[in-house]
CSV table of all heavy atoms in Angstrom, one decimal:
chain,number,residue,atom,x,y,z
A,1259,MET,N,-11.2,-94.4,-191.9
A,1259,MET,CA,-10.8,-93.3,-191.0
A,1259,MET,C,-9.5,-93.8,-190.4
A,1259,MET,O,-9.5,-95.0,-189.8
A,1259,MET,CB,-11.9,-93.1,-190.0
A,1259,MET,CG,-11.8,-91.7,-189.4
A,1259,MET,SD,-13.1,-91.4,-188.1
A,1259,MET,CE,-14.4,-90.9,-189.1
A,1260,THR,N,-8.5,-93.1,-190.4
A,1260,THR,CA,-7.2,-93.4,-189.7
A,1260,THR,C,-7.4,-93.2,-188.2
A,1260,THR,O,-8.3,-92.5,-187.7
A,1260,THR,CB,-6.0,-92.6,-190.2
A,1260,THR,OG1,-6.2,-91.3,-189.8
A,1260,THR,CG2,-5.9,-92.6,-191.7
A,1261,GLU,N,-6.4,-93.7,-187.4
A,1261,GLU,CA,-6.4,-93.5,-186.0
A,1261,GLU,C,-6.4,-92.1,-185.6
A,1261,GLU,O,-7.1,-91.7,-184.7
A,1261,GLU,CB,-5.3,-94.3,-185.4
A,1261,GLU,CG,-5.5,-94.7,-183.9
A,1261,GLU,CD,-6.6,-95.6,-183.6
A,1261,GLU,OE1,-6.9,-96.5,-184.4
A,1261,GLU,OE2,-7.1,-95.3,-182.5
A,1262,LYS,N,-5.6,-91.3,-186.3
A,1262,LYS,CA,-5.5,-90.0,-186.0
A,1262,LYS,C,-6.9,-89.2,-186.2
A,1262,LYS,O,-7.2,-88.3,-185.4
A,1262,LYS,CB,-4.4,-89.3,-186.9
A,1262,LYS,CG,-4.2,-87.9,-186.7
A,1262,LYS,CD,-3.1,-87.7,-185.6
A,1262,LYS,CE,-2.6,-86.2,-185.6
A,1262,LYS,NZ,-2.0,-85.8,-184.5
A,1263,GLU,N,-7.4,-89.4,-187.3
A,1263,GLU,CA,-8.7,-88.8,-187.7
A,1263,GLU,C,-9.7,-89.2,-186.7
A,1263,GLU,O,-10.5,-88.4,-186.2
A,1263,GLU,CB,-9.2,-89.2,-189.0
A,1263,GLU,CG,-8.3,-88.6,-190.1
A,1263,GLU,CD,-8.7,-89.2,-191.5
A,1263,GLU,OE1,-9.2,-90.3,-191.6
A,1263,GLU,OE2,-8.6,-88.5,-192.5
A,1264,LYS,N,-9.7,-90.5,-186.2
A,1264,LYS,CA,-10.7,-91.0,-185.3
A,1264,LYS,C,-10.5,-90.2,-183.9
A,1264,LYS,O,-11.5,-89.8,-183.3
A,1264,LYS,CB,-10.6,-92.5,-185.0
A,1264,LYS,CG,-11.5,-93.1,-184.2
A,1264,LYS,CD,-11.4,-94.6,-184.2
A,1264,LYS,CE,-12.5,-95.3,-183.4
A,1264,LYS,NZ,-12.2,-96.8,-183.3
A,1265,GLU,N,-9.3,-90.0,-183.5
A,1265,GLU,CA,-9.0,-89.3,-182.2
A,1265,GLU,C,-9.5,-87.9,-182.3
A,1265,GLU,O,-10.1,-87.3,-181.4
A,1265,GLU,CB,-7.6,-89.3,-181.9
A,1265,GLU,CG,-7.0,-90.7,-181.4
A,1265,GLU,CD,-5.5,-90.6,-181.2
A,1265,GLU,OE1,-5.0,-89.5,-180.9
A,1265,GLU,OE2,-4.9,-91.7,-181.1
A,1266,GLU,N,-9.3,-87.2,-183.5
A,1266,GLU,CA,-9.7,-85.8,-183.7
A,1266,GLU,C,-11.2,-85.7,-183.6
A,1266,GLU,O,-11.8,-84.8,-183.0
A,1266,GLU,CB,-9.2,-85.3,-185.0
A,1266,GLU,CG,-7.8,-85.0,-185.0
A,1266,GLU,CD,-7.3,-83.8,-184.1
A,1266,GLU,OE1,-8.1,-82.9,-184.0
A,1266,GLU,OE2,-6.3,-84.0,-183.4
A,1267,PHE,N,-11.9,-86.7,-184.2
A,1267,PHE,CA,-13.4,-86.7,-184.2
A,1267,PHE,C,-13.9,-86.8,-182.8
A,1267,PHE,O,-14.8,-86.1,-182.4
A,1267,PHE,CB,-13.9,-87.8,-185.2
A,1267,PHE,CG,-15.3,-88.0,-185.3
A,1267,PHE,CD1,-16.1,-87.0,-186.0
A,1267,PHE,CD2,-16.0,-89.0,-184.6
A,1267,PHE,CE1,-17.4,-87.1,-186.0
A,1267,PHE,CE2,-17.4,-89.1,-184.7
A,1267,PHE,CZ,-18.1,-88.2,-185.4
A,1268,GLU,N,-13.4,-87.8,-182.1
A,1268,GLU,CA,-13.8,-88.0,-180.7
A,1268,GLU,C,-13.5,-86.8,-179.8
A,1268,GLU,O,-14.4,-86.4,-179.0
A,1268,GLU,CB,-13.1,-89.2,-180.1
A,1268,GLU,CG,-13.6,-90.6,-180.6
A,1268,GLU,CD,-12.8,-91.7,-180.2
A,1268,GLU,OE1,-11.8,-91.6,-179.4
A,1268,GLU,OE2,-13.1,-92.8,-180.6
A,1269,LYS,N,-12.5,-86.1,-180.1
A,1269,LYS,CA,-12.1,-84.9,-179.4
A,1269,LYS,C,-13.2,-83.8,-179.6
A,1269,LYS,O,-13.7,-83.1,-178.7
A,1269,LYS,CB,-10.7,-84.4,-179.8
A,1269,LYS,CG,-9.9,-83.9,-178.8
A,1269,LYS,CD,-8.6,-83.4,-179.4
A,1269,LYS,CE,-7.4,-83.4,-178.4
A,1269,LYS,NZ,-6.2,-82.8,-178.9
A,1270,GLU,N,-13.5,-83.6,-180.9
A,1270,GLU,CA,-14.6,-82.7,-181.3
A,1270,GLU,C,-15.9,-83.0,-180.6
A,1270,GLU,O,-16.6,-82.1,-180.2
A,1270,GLU,CB,-14.7,-82.6,-182.8
A,1270,GLU,CG,-13.6,-82.0,-183.6
A,1270,GLU,CD,-13.7,-82.1,-185.1
A,1270,GLU,OE1,-14.9,-82.2,-185.5
A,1270,GLU,OE2,-12.7,-82.0,-185.7
A,1271,ILE,N,-16.3,-84.3,-180.6
A,1271,ILE,CA,-17.5,-84.7,-180.0
A,1271,ILE,C,-17.5,-84.4,-178.6
A,1271,ILE,O,-18.5,-83.8,-177.9
A,1271,ILE,CB,-17.8,-86.2,-180.2
A,1271,ILE,CG1,-18.0,-86.5,-181.6
A,1271,ILE,CG2,-19.0,-86.6,-179.3
A,1271,ILE,CD1,-19.2,-85.9,-182.3
A,1272,ARG,N,-16.4,-84.7,-177.8
A,1272,ARG,CA,-16.4,-84.4,-176.4
A,1272,ARG,C,-16.4,-82.9,-176.1
A,1272,ARG,O,-17.1,-82.4,-175.2
A,1272,ARG,CB,-15.0,-84.9,-175.8
A,1272,ARG,CG,-15.0,-86.4,-175.5
A,1272,ARG,CD,-13.9,-86.8,-174.6
A,1272,ARG,NE,-12.6,-86.6,-175.3
A,1272,ARG,CZ,-11.9,-87.6,-175.9
A,1272,ARG,NH1,-12.5,-88.8,-176.1
A,1272,ARG,NH2,-10.9,-87.3,-176.5
A,1273,GLN,N,-15.7,-82.1,-176.9
A,1273,GLN,CA,-15.8,-80.6,-176.8
A,1273,GLN,C,-17.3,-80.1,-176.9
A,1273,GLN,O,-17.7,-79.3,-176.3
A,1273,GLN,CB,-14.9,-80.0,-177.8
A,1273,GLN,CG,-14.7,-78.4,-177.6
A,1273,GLN,CD,-14.0,-78.0,-176.4
A,1273,GLN,OE1,-13.3,-78.8,-175.9
A,1273,GLN,NE2,-14.3,-76.9,-176.0
A,1274,LYS,N,-17.9,-80.7,-178.1
A,1274,LYS,CA,-19.3,-80.2,-178.2
A,1274,LYS,C,-20.2,-80.6,-177.1
A,1274,LYS,O,-21.0,-79.7,-176.6
A,1274,LYS,CB,-19.8,-81.0,-179.6
A,1274,LYS,CG,-21.1,-80.4,-180.0
A,1274,LYS,CD,-21.5,-81.2,-181.3
A,1274,LYS,CE,-23.0,-80.7,-181.8
A,1274,LYS,NZ,-23.3,-81.4,-183.0
A,1275,VAL,N,-20.1,-81.8,-176.6
A,1275,VAL,CA,-20.9,-82.2,-175.5
A,1275,VAL,C,-20.7,-81.3,-174.3
A,1275,VAL,O,-21.6,-80.8,-173.5
A,1275,VAL,CB,-20.7,-83.7,-175.1
A,1275,VAL,CG1,-21.3,-84.0,-173.8
A,1275,VAL,CG2,-21.2,-84.6,-176.2
A,1276,LEU,N,-19.3,-81.0,-174.0
A,1276,LEU,CA,-19.0,-80.1,-172.8
A,1276,LEU,C,-19.6,-78.8,-173.0
A,1276,LEU,O,-20.1,-78.2,-172.0
A,1276,LEU,CB,-17.5,-80.0,-172.8
A,1276,LEU,CG,-16.9,-79.1,-171.7
A,1276,LEU,CD1,-17.2,-79.8,-170.3
A,1276,LEU,CD2,-15.4,-79.0,-171.9
A,1277,MET,N,-19.5,-78.1,-174.2
A,1277,MET,CA,-20.1,-76.8,-174.4
A,1277,MET,C,-21.6,-76.9,-174.2
A,1277,MET,O,-22.2,-75.9,-173.7
A,1277,MET,CB,-19.8,-76.3,-175.9
A,1277,MET,CG,-18.3,-76.1,-176.0
A,1277,MET,SD,-17.5,-75.0,-174.9
A,1277,MET,CE,-18.0,-73.5,-175.4
A,1278,GLU,N,-22.3,-77.9,-174.7
A,1278,GLU,CA,-23.7,-78.0,-174.5
A,1278,GLU,C,-24.1,-78.1,-173.0
A,1278,GLU,O,-25.0,-77.5,-172.6
A,1278,GLU,CB,-24.3,-79.2,-175.2
A,1278,GLU,CG,-24.4,-79.1,-176.7
A,1278,GLU,CD,-24.7,-80.4,-177.5
A,1278,GLU,OE1,-24.8,-81.5,-176.8
A,1278,GLU,OE2,-24.8,-80.3,-178.7
A,1279,ARG,N,-23.3,-78.9,-172.3
A,1279,ARG,CA,-23.6,-79.0,-170.8
A,1279,ARG,C,-23.4,-77.6,-170.1
A,1279,ARG,O,-24.1,-77.3,-169.2
A,1279,ARG,CB,-22.6,-80.0,-170.2
A,1279,ARG,CG,-23.0,-81.4,-170.4
A,1279,ARG,CD,-22.0,-82.4,-169.7
A,1279,ARG,NE,-22.4,-83.8,-170.1
A,1279,ARG,CZ,-21.5,-84.7,-170.0
A,1279,ARG,NH1,-20.3,-84.5,-169.3
A,1279,ARG,NH2,-21.8,-86.0,-170.3
A,1280,ARG,N,-22.3,-76.9,-170.5
A,1280,ARG,CA,-22.1,-75.6,-169.9
A,1280,ARG,C,-23.2,-74.6,-170.2
A,1280,ARG,O,-23.6,-73.9,-169.4
A,1280,ARG,CB,-20.7,-75.0,-170.5
A,1280,ARG,CG,-19.6,-75.5,-169.9
A,1280,ARG,CD,-18.3,-74.9,-170.5
A,1280,ARG,NE,-17.1,-75.5,-169.9
A,1280,ARG,CZ,-15.9,-75.2,-170.4
A,1280,ARG,NH1,-15.7,-74.4,-171.4
A,1280,ARG,NH2,-14.8,-75.8,-169.9
A,1281,ALA,N,-23.7,-74.7,-171.5
A,1281,ALA,CA,-24.8,-73.8,-171.8
A,1281,ALA,C,-26.0,-74.2,-171.1
A,1281,ALA,O,-26.7,-73.3,-170.6
A,1281,ALA,CB,-25.1,-73.9,-173.3
A,1282,ALA,N,-26.3,-75.4,-170.9
A,1282,ALA,CA,-27.5,-75.9,-170.1
A,1282,ALA,C,-27.4,-75.4,-168.7
A,1282,ALA,O,-28.3,-75.0,-168.0
A,1282,ALA,CB,-27.6,-77.4,-170.3
A,1283,LYS,N,-26.2,-75.6,-168.0
A,1283,LYS,CA,-25.9,-75.2,-166.7
A,1283,LYS,C,-26.1,-73.7,-166.5
A,1283,LYS,O,-26.8,-73.3,-165.5
A,1283,LYS,CB,-24.6,-75.6,-166.3
A,1283,LYS,CG,-24.4,-75.6,-164.8
A,1283,LYS,CD,-23.0,-76.3,-164.4
A,1283,LYS,CE,-22.9,-76.4,-162.9
A,1283,LYS,NZ,-21.6,-77.1,-162.6
A,1284,ALA,N,-25.6,-72.9,-167.5
A,1284,ALA,CA,-25.7,-71.5,-167.4
A,1284,ALA,C,-27.2,-71.1,-167.5
A,1284,ALA,O,-27.7,-70.1,-166.7
A,1284,ALA,CB,-25.0,-70.8,-168.6
A,1285,GLU,N,-28.0,-71.8,-168.3
A,1285,GLU,CA,-29.4,-71.4,-168.5
A,1285,GLU,C,-30.1,-71.8,-167.2
A,1285,GLU,O,-31.0,-71.0,-166.7
A,1285,GLU,CB,-30.0,-72.3,-169.6
A,1285,GLU,CG,-31.5,-72.1,-169.8
A,1285,GLU,CD,-31.9,-70.8,-170.5
A,1285,GLU,OE1,-31.0,-70.1,-170.9
A,1285,GLU,OE2,-33.0,-70.5,-170.4
A,1286,TRP,N,-29.8,-72.9,-166.6
A,1286,TRP,CA,-30.4,-73.3,-165.3
A,1286,TRP,C,-30.2,-72.3,-164.2
A,1286,TRP,O,-31.0,-71.9,-163.5
A,1286,TRP,CB,-29.9,-74.7,-164.9
A,1286,TRP,CG,-30.5,-75.1,-163.5
A,1286,TRP,CD1,-31.7,-75.7,-163.2
A,1286,TRP,CD2,-29.9,-74.9,-162.2
A,1286,TRP,NE1,-31.8,-75.9,-161.9
A,1286,TRP,CE2,-30.7,-75.5,-161.2
A,1286,TRP,CE3,-28.6,-74.4,-161.9
A,1286,TRP,CZ2,-30.4,-75.4,-159.9
A,1286,TRP,CZ3,-28.3,-74.4,-160.5
A,1286,TRP,CH2,-29.2,-74.8,-159.5
A,1287,ARG,N,-28.8,-71.9,-164.1
A,1287,ARG,CA,-28.5,-70.9,-163.2
A,1287,ARG,C,-29.2,-69.6,-163.3
A,1287,ARG,O,-29.7,-69.0,-162.3
A,1287,ARG,CB,-26.9,-70.5,-163.3
A,1287,ARG,CG,-26.1,-71.1,-162.1
A,1287,ARG,CD,-24.7,-70.5,-162.2
A,1287,ARG,NE,-23.7,-71.5,-162.2
A,1287,ARG,CZ,-23.0,-71.9,-163.1
A,1287,ARG,NH1,-22.9,-71.1,-164.3
A,1287,ARG,NH2,-22.1,-72.9,-163.1
A,1288,ARG,N,-29.3,-69.1,-164.5
A,1288,ARG,CA,-30.1,-67.9,-164.9
A,1288,ARG,C,-31.6,-68.0,-164.3
A,1288,ARG,O,-32.0,-67.2,-163.7
A,1288,ARG,CB,-29.9,-67.6,-166.3
A,1288,ARG,CG,-30.6,-66.2,-166.7
A,1288,ARG,CD,-30.6,-66.0,-168.2
A,1288,ARG,NE,-31.4,-66.9,-168.9
A,1288,ARG,CZ,-32.6,-66.9,-169.0
A,1288,ARG,NH1,-33.4,-66.0,-168.4
A,1288,ARG,NH2,-33.3,-67.8,-169.9
A,1289,LYS,N,-32.2,-69.1,-164.7
A,1289,LYS,CA,-33.6,-69.3,-164.3
A,1289,LYS,C,-33.7,-69.4,-162.7
A,1289,LYS,O,-34.6,-68.9,-162.1
A,1289,LYS,CB,-34.1,-70.5,-164.9
A,1289,LYS,CG,-34.4,-70.4,-166.4
A,1289,LYS,CD,-35.1,-71.7,-166.9
A,1289,LYS,CE,-35.4,-71.5,-168.4
A,1289,LYS,NZ,-35.9,-72.8,-168.9
A,1290,ASN,N,-32.7,-70.1,-162.1
A,1290,ASN,CA,-32.7,-70.2,-160.7
A,1290,ASN,C,-32.6,-68.9,-160.0
A,1290,ASN,O,-33.2,-68.6,-159.0
A,1290,ASN,CB,-31.7,-71.2,-160.3
A,1290,ASN,CG,-31.8,-71.7,-158.9
A,1290,ASN,OD1,-32.9,-72.0,-158.4
A,1290,ASN,ND2,-30.7,-71.8,-158.1
A,1291,LYS,N,-31.7,-68.0,-160.5
A,1291,LYS,CA,-31.5,-66.7,-159.9
A,1291,LYS,C,-32.8,-65.9,-160.0
A,1291,LYS,O,-33.1,-65.2,-159.0
A,1291,LYS,CB,-30.4,-66.0,-160.7
A,1291,LYS,CG,-29.0,-66.4,-160.2
A,1291,LYS,CD,-27.9,-65.5,-161.0
A,1291,LYS,CE,-26.5,-66.0,-160.6
A,1291,LYS,NZ,-25.5,-65.2,-161.3
A,1292,GLU,N,-33.4,-66.0,-161.2
A,1292,GLU,CA,-34.8,-65.2,-161.4
A,1292,GLU,C,-35.7,-65.7,-160.3
A,1292,GLU,O,-36.4,-64.9,-159.7
A,1292,GLU,CB,-35.2,-65.4,-162.7
A,1292,GLU,CG,-34.4,-64.6,-163.8
A,1292,GLU,CD,-34.8,-64.9,-165.2
A,1292,GLU,OE1,-35.9,-65.7,-165.4
A,1292,GLU,OE2,-34.2,-64.4,-166.2
A,1293,SER,N,-35.8,-67.0,-160.1
A,1293,SER,CA,-36.8,-67.6,-159.1
A,1293,SER,C,-36.5,-67.1,-157.7
A,1293,SER,O,-37.4,-66.8,-157.0
A,1293,SER,CB,-36.7,-69.1,-159.2
A,1293,SER,OG,-37.4,-69.7,-158.3
A,1294,ILE,N,-35.2,-67.1,-157.4
A,1294,ILE,CA,-34.8,-66.7,-156.1
A,1294,ILE,C,-35.1,-65.3,-155.9
A,1294,ILE,O,-35.6,-64.9,-154.8
A,1294,ILE,CB,-33.3,-67.0,-155.9
A,1294,ILE,CG1,-33.1,-68.5,-155.7
A,1294,ILE,CG2,-32.8,-66.3,-154.6
A,1294,ILE,CD1,-31.6,-68.9,-155.7
A,1295,ARG,N,-34.8,-64.4,-156.9
A,1295,ARG,CA,-35.1,-63.0,-156.8
A,1295,ARG,C,-36.6,-62.8,-156.6
A,1295,ARG,O,-36.9,-62.0,-155.7
A,1295,ARG,CB,-34.7,-62.3,-158.1
A,1295,ARG,CG,-34.8,-60.8,-158.1
A,1295,ARG,CD,-34.3,-60.2,-159.4
A,1295,ARG,NE,-34.9,-60.8,-160.6
A,1295,ARG,CZ,-36.2,-60.4,-160.9
A,1295,ARG,NH1,-36.9,-59.7,-160.3
A,1295,ARG,NH2,-36.6,-61.1,-162.1
A,1296,ARG,N,-37.5,-63.4,-157.4
A,1296,ARG,CA,-38.9,-63.3,-157.1
A,1296,ARG,C,-39.3,-63.7,-155.8
A,1296,ARG,O,-40.1,-63.0,-155.1
A,1296,ARG,CB,-39.7,-64.1,-158.2
A,1296,ARG,CG,-39.7,-63.5,-159.6
A,1296,ARG,CD,-40.7,-64.2,-160.4
A,1296,ARG,NE,-40.5,-65.6,-160.6
A,1296,ARG,CZ,-39.7,-66.2,-161.5
A,1296,ARG,NH1,-39.1,-65.4,-162.4
A,1296,ARG,NH2,-39.5,-67.4,-161.6
A,1297,SER,N,-38.7,-64.8,-155.3
A,1297,SER,CA,-39.0,-65.3,-154.0
A,1297,SER,C,-38.7,-64.3,-152.9
A,1297,SER,O,-39.4,-64.0,-151.9
A,1297,SER,CB,-38.3,-66.6,-153.7
A,1297,SER,OG,-38.6,-67.1,-152.4
A,1298,ASN,N,-37.5,-63.7,-153.1
A,1298,ASN,CA,-37.0,-62.7,-152.1
A,1298,ASN,C,-37.8,-61.4,-152.1
A,1298,ASN,O,-38.1,-60.9,-151.1
A,1298,ASN,CB,-35.5,-62.3,-152.5
A,1298,ASN,CG,-34.5,-63.4,-152.0
A,1298,ASN,OD1,-34.9,-64.3,-151.2
A,1298,ASN,ND2,-33.3,-63.2,-152.5
A,1299,GLN,N,-38.3,-61.0,-153.3
A,1299,GLN,CA,-39.1,-59.9,-153.4
A,1299,GLN,C,-40.4,-60.1,-152.6
A,1299,GLN,O,-40.9,-59.2,-151.9
A,1299,GLN,CB,-39.5,-59.5,-154.8
A,1299,GLN,CG,-38.3,-58.9,-155.6
A,1299,GLN,CD,-38.6,-58.6,-157.0
A,1299,GLN,OE1,-39.5,-59.3,-157.6
A,1299,GLN,NE2,-38.0,-57.7,-157.6
A,1300,LYS,N,-41.0,-61.2,-152.8
A,1300,LYS,CA,-42.3,-61.6,-152.0
A,1300,LYS,C,-42.0,-61.5,-150.5
A,1300,LYS,O,-42.8,-61.0,-149.8
A,1300,LYS,CB,-42.9,-62.9,-152.5
A,1300,LYS,CG,-43.4,-62.9,-153.8
A,1300,LYS,CD,-43.9,-64.4,-154.1
A,1300,LYS,CE,-44.3,-64.5,-155.5
A,1300,LYS,NZ,-44.7,-65.9,-155.8
A,1301,TYR,N,-41.0,-62.2,-150.1
A,1301,TYR,CA,-40.6,-62.2,-148.7
A,1301,TYR,C,-40.4,-60.9,-148.1
A,1301,TYR,O,-41.0,-60.6,-147.1
A,1301,TYR,CB,-39.4,-63.1,-148.6
A,1301,TYR,CG,-38.8,-63.1,-147.1
A,1301,TYR,CD1,-39.4,-64.0,-146.2
A,1301,TYR,CD2,-37.8,-62.3,-146.7
A,1301,TYR,CE1,-39.0,-64.1,-144.8
A,1301,TYR,CE2,-37.3,-62.3,-145.4
A,1301,TYR,CZ,-37.9,-63.2,-144.5
A,1301,TYR,OH,-37.5,-63.3,-143.2
A,1302,TYR,N,-39.6,-60.0,-148.7
A,1302,TYR,CA,-39.3,-58.7,-148.2
A,1302,TYR,C,-40.5,-57.8,-148.3
A,1302,TYR,O,-40.7,-56.9,-147.4
A,1302,TYR,CB,-38.1,-58.1,-148.8
A,1302,TYR,CG,-36.8,-58.8,-148.3
A,1302,TYR,CD1,-36.1,-59.6,-149.1
A,1302,TYR,CD2,-36.5,-58.6,-147.0
A,1302,TYR,CE1,-34.9,-60.2,-148.6
A,1302,TYR,CE2,-35.4,-59.3,-146.4
A,1302,TYR,CZ,-34.6,-60.1,-147.2
A,1302,TYR,OH,-33.5,-60.7,-146.8
A,1303,ALA,N,-41.4,-57.9,-149.3
A,1303,ALA,CA,-42.6,-57.1,-149.4
A,1303,ALA,C,-43.5,-57.6,-148.2
A,1303,ALA,O,-44.1,-56.7,-147.6
A,1303,ALA,CB,-43.3,-57.4,-150.7
A,1304,LYS,N,-43.6,-58.8,-147.8
A,1304,LYS,CA,-44.4,-59.3,-146.8
A,1304,LYS,C,-43.9,-58.7,-145.4
A,1304,LYS,O,-44.7,-58.2,-144.6
A,1304,LYS,CB,-44.4,-60.8,-146.7
A,1304,LYS,CG,-45.3,-61.4,-145.7
A,1304,LYS,CD,-45.4,-62.9,-145.8
A,1304,LYS,CE,-46.2,-63.6,-144.7
A,1304,LYS,NZ,-46.1,-65.0,-144.8
A,1305,LYS,N,-42.5,-58.8,-145.3
A,1305,LYS,CA,-41.9,-58.2,-144.0
A,1305,LYS,C,-42.1,-56.7,-143.9
A,1305,LYS,O,-42.4,-56.2,-142.8
A,1305,LYS,CB,-40.3,-58.5,-144.1
A,1305,LYS,CG,-40.0,-59.9,-143.8
A,1305,LYS,CD,-40.2,-60.2,-142.4
A,1305,LYS,CE,-39.9,-61.6,-142.0
A,1305,LYS,NZ,-40.3,-62.1,-140.7
A,1306,LYS,N,-42.0,-56.0,-145.0
A,1306,LYS,CA,-42.3,-54.5,-144.9
A,1306,LYS,C,-43.8,-54.3,-144.5
A,1306,LYS,O,-44.0,-53.4,-143.8
A,1306,LYS,CB,-42.0,-54.0,-146.3
A,1306,LYS,CG,-41.9,-52.5,-146.4
A,1306,LYS,CD,-41.5,-52.1,-147.8
A,1306,LYS,CE,-41.4,-50.6,-148.0
A,1306,LYS,NZ,-41.0,-50.2,-149.2
A,1307,ALA,N,-44.7,-55.1,-145.0
A,1307,ALA,CA,-46.1,-54.9,-144.7
A,1307,ALA,C,-46.3,-55.2,-143.3
A,1307,ALA,O,-47.1,-54.5,-142.6
A,1307,ALA,CB,-47.0,-55.8,-145.6
A,1308,GLU,N,-45.6,-56.2,-142.8
A,1308,GLU,CA,-45.8,-56.6,-141.3
A,1308,GLU,C,-45.3,-55.4,-140.5
A,1308,GLU,O,-45.8,-55.1,-139.4
A,1308,GLU,CB,-45.1,-57.8,-141.0
A,1308,GLU,CG,-45.8,-59.0,-141.6
A,1308,GLU,CD,-45.0,-60.3,-141.4
A,1308,GLU,OE1,-43.8,-60.2,-140.8
A,1308,GLU,OE2,-45.4,-61.4,-141.8
A,1309,LYS,N,-44.2,-54.8,-140.9
A,1309,LYS,CA,-43.6,-53.6,-140.1
A,1309,LYS,C,-44.6,-52.5,-140.0
A,1309,LYS,O,-44.7,-51.8,-139.0
A,1309,LYS,CB,-42.3,-53.2,-140.7
A,1309,LYS,CG,-41.1,-54.0,-140.3
A,1309,LYS,CD,-39.8,-53.3,-140.7
A,1309,LYS,CE,-38.6,-54.0,-140.2
A,1309,LYS,NZ,-37.4,-53.4,-140.7
A,1310,ARG,N,-45.3,-52.3,-141.2
A,1310,ARG,CA,-46.3,-51.2,-141.1
A,1310,ARG,C,-47.5,-51.5,-140.3
A,1310,ARG,O,-48.3,-50.6,-140.1
A,1310,ARG,CB,-46.8,-50.9,-142.6
A,1310,ARG,CG,-45.7,-50.3,-143.4
A,1310,ARG,CD,-46.4,-49.8,-144.7
A,1310,ARG,NE,-45.4,-49.7,-145.7
A,1310,ARG,CZ,-45.5,-49.8,-147.0
A,1310,ARG,NH1,-46.8,-50.0,-147.5
A,1310,ARG,NH2,-44.6,-49.6,-147.9
A,1311,GLY,N,-47.7,-52.8,-139.9
A,1311,GLY,CA,-48.8,-53.1,-139.1
A,1311,GLY,C,-50.0,-53.9,-139.9
A,1311,GLY,O,-50.9,-54.5,-139.2
A,1312,GLY,N,-49.9,-54.0,-141.2
A,1312,GLY,CA,-50.8,-54.7,-141.9
A,1312,GLY,C,-50.3,-56.0,-142.5
A,1312,GLY,O,-49.2,-56.0,-143.0
A,1313,ALA,N,-51.0,-57.1,-142.4
A,1313,ALA,CA,-50.5,-58.3,-143.0
A,1313,ALA,C,-51.1,-58.5,-144.3
A,1313,ALA,O,-52.3,-58.5,-144.5
A,1313,ALA,CB,-50.9,-59.5,-141.9
A,1314,SER,N,-50.2,-58.7,-145.2
A,1314,SER,CA,-50.6,-58.9,-146.6
A,1314,SER,C,-49.9,-60.1,-147.3
A,1314,SER,O,-48.8,-60.4,-146.8
A,1314,SER,CB,-50.6,-57.7,-147.5
A,1314,SER,OG,-49.2,-57.5,-148.0
A,1315,LYS,N,-50.5,-60.7,-148.3
A,1315,LYS,CA,-49.8,-61.9,-148.9
A,1315,LYS,C,-49.1,-61.5,-150.1
A,1315,LYS,O,-49.5,-60.7,-150.9
A,1315,LYS,CB,-50.8,-63.0,-149.2
A,1315,LYS,CG,-51.3,-63.7,-148.0
A,1315,LYS,CD,-52.2,-64.8,-148.3
A,1315,LYS,CE,-52.7,-65.5,-147.0
A,1315,LYS,NZ,-53.5,-66.6,-147.3
């Protein structure tokens, strides 16, 4: 493998790793948003119930 081919190969590897990290981060963000949304729904449902006068979980 020549020096030029070696550089190209390393570049491709770095790019692949970068894309995998981006995909993993995007997946984590999506899951985190869903978790926050569920948590918010529970919180506001509880607040709404408290306003009506009944406490529910």
Side-chain angles (χ1 to χ4, degrees):
M1259 202 184 278
T1260 67
E1261 197 64 33
K1262 180 93 170 155
E1263 289 172 332
K1264 190 175 181 181
E1265 285 179 21
E1266 287 295 321
F1267 180 71
E1268 288 175 358
K1269 221 180 203 182
E1270 288 176 21
I1271 297 292
R1272 279 195 296 266
Q1273 185 68 20
K1274 186 177 178 183
V1275 168
L1276 181 66
M1277 295 305 281
E1278 287 173 357
R1279 284 184 187 162
R1280 282 185 184 165
K1283 196 171 188 178
E1285 178 73 13
W1286 177 84
R1287 248 192 236 117
R1288 186 181 62 77
K1289 285 183 180 177
N1290 195 39
K1291 280 183 182 177
E1292 289 174 3
S1293 174
I1294 290 170
R1295 183 180 52 78
R1296 283 192 303 269
S1297 178
N1298 285 346
Q1299 283 178 336
K1300 287 179 187 175
Y1301 175 80
Y1302 286 110
K1304 186 176 178 182
K1305 285 290 181 189
K1306 192 174 182 181
E1308 286 174 1
K1309 276 188 176 181
R1310 287 192 205 152
S1314 79
K1315 289 186 178 178

